[in-house]
Amino acid sequence: MVMGWSWTWEAVDPHDCARIVGDLPGPDSIQEWRLLTHAPYTRVGPQPYTIGGLAGTGPGKGLAGQLRHGAERVATVVEIGALTEAAPAAQLTATTAGFDAEGWQAFVAAARRCGEPMTEAAVLDALAEETLLATQTAEAVAAGGTLARLLDDTGTILHLERIHPAPDTPETFHALQDRLHASRRDPRGTTWQYWTGRSWRHLTNAADTDQPPTGGGTATT
């Protein structure tokens, strides 16, 4: 839990590194997992499972969508609770002939949030969260803004707020920190993050005001 999960980790070319700790995988190695971009602190197996076609199904019933493996729809998903007020347990229904039950279970078994194993329902919610936030961040950036989100210590998104224009100087970051502290008080919240256009970065702790990141949206860790 380096920096309380507030650091962002990105894959880079090893030739760009001044120092490498540990052993690099060999050219014949197989990727064991991938880190999701938008679902906080979540990693899954390398198989290309995604969820698309998300739509509401009524108050208290969450969302429904399609589980896809690559471009192929392999199952229907119902009762998805990602980014909704509903909290049902997401589940697979109506699987197709292309659904690989053993491969899907291996995918779920490899999944971790904050280093802890995940249930199938939690994995489905995370994949849906990935799809929903990919759309929302793209729309916000295209309009000249960004998104900020408040997380608790398990990576659950408590609040999601669209920011316009996107902060790009220490002064605008500091003003955004002050506004979020004043407008959103949730005892469960631990950290605010913002979307840089490429990744989610730490903005401020929820309990106290930090110094704004230097370099604005182009800051790197």
Side-chain angles (χ1 to χ4, degrees):
M1 288 181 59
V2 179
M3 288 296 290
W5 297 102
S6 66
W7 278 9
T8 297
W9 301 91
E10 298 179 9
V12 299
D13 189 321
H15 294 94
D16 293 336
C17 300
R19 179 179 176 229
I20 296 174
V21 177
D23 298 322
L24 291 174
D28 297 328
S29 297
I30 298 174
Q31 183 171 341
E32 297 179 1
W33 53 268
R34 60 189 172 94
L35 190 66
L36 295 183
T37 300
H38 297 290
Y41 318 144
T42 302
R43 76 182 200 189
V44 294
Q47 301 91 334
Y49 283 106
T50 58
I51 288 181
L54 289 163
T57 57
K61 296 183 179 180
L63 305 172
Q66 301 172 352
L67 179 67
R68 299 169 181 168
H69 185 272
E72 181 183 5
R73 183 182 68 83
V74 295
T76 299
V77 190
V78 297
E79 297 187 346
I80 299 168
L83 302 185
T84 71
E85 295 298 327
Q91 57 184 305
L92 297 178
T93 63
T95 57
T96 71
F99 179 67
D100 178 3
E102 185 176 341
W104 168 249
Q105 289 304 317
F107 181 81
V108 172
R112 297 288 186 275
R113 168 163 282 183
C114 295
E116 297 296 326
M118 299 173 68
T119 64
E120 180 180 81
V123 172
L124 292 169
D125 279 343
L127 292 178
E129 197 168 76
E130 188 79 356
T131 298
L132 291 168
L133 282 176
T135 299
Q136 293 188 32
T137 52
E139 291 175 348
V141 170
T146 189
L147 293 181
R149 64 187 187 183
L150 176 62
L151 307 180
D152 68 10
D153 58 4
T154 69
T156 299
I157 300 175
L158 302 176
H159 299 291
L160 189 65
E161 187 164 332
R162 190 160 178 167
I163 307 299
H164 190 276
D168 58 1
T169 65
E171 291 75 21
T172 55
F173 273 103
H174 193 79
L176 177 59
Q177 289 173 339
D178 290 344
R179 181 166 70 80
L180 293 175
H181 275 289
S183 63
R184 293 289 188 184
R185 296 189 179 277
D186 191 316
R188 300 168 296 170
T190 59
T191 185
W192 281 97
Q193 296 178 337
Y194 72 100
W195 178 248
T196 69
R198 294 177 54 243
S199 62
W200 290 94
R201 295 291 173 90
H202 180 71
L203 175 65
T204 182
N205 293 334
D208 54 81
T209 302
D210 296 329
Q211 293 299 315
T214 59
T218 61
T220 57
T221 301

